[in-house]
Amino acid sequence: YEAHAELQRRMGSELAGLLGALLGGRIAPLLLDAGCGTGSLLAAMSKRRPHWRLMGIDLAFGMCRRAAAGGLPIFC
C-alpha cells in the first residue's frame, strides 16, 4: 500500500504546509485524518507539529491496526 501512495504523501505534505502557514502558532488545532489508511500523514504531522492534537479514522480494520501502532488515536 505504502509503495503506491506517492500522490497521497505529496498532497498530505502540501496540506500540512498550508495548514501550518494558515494557523501559524496561534492555536493547537485538532486535525482529523478521515481515511487515514496506515497513518503515514498523521505520523508525519506529529513530527512537524508536535503540539497539534491528531486523530485518524478509517473503514478498514487492517489499516486502523497499522495506523494505531504509531501511537496516535485511531478509530475504525
Side-chain angles (χ1 to χ4, degrees):
Y1 177 85
E2 293 294 335
H4 301 287
E6 181 60 31
L7 179 60
Q8 289 173 311
R9 278 191 291 279
R10 281 195 235 164
M11 291 180 68
S13 180
E14 287 291 320
L15 178 61
L18 290 172
L19 283 173
L22 178 66
L23 298 174
R26 296 174 294 183
I27 60 170
L30 170 62
L31 179 70
L32 173 65
D33 184 358
C36 66
T38 60
S40 59
L41 175 60
L42 290 171
M45 287 297 296
S46 70
K47 290 177 184 162
R48 290 178 74 173
R49 307 285 181 191
H51 62 286
W52 286 17
R53 296 169 295 155
L54 306 170
M55 71 173 56
I57 59 172
D58 202 286
L59 292 174
F61 181 73
M63 294 291 188
C64 291
R65 183 177 27 191
R66 183 155 175 205
L72 294 168
I74 305 296
F75 299 92
C76 204

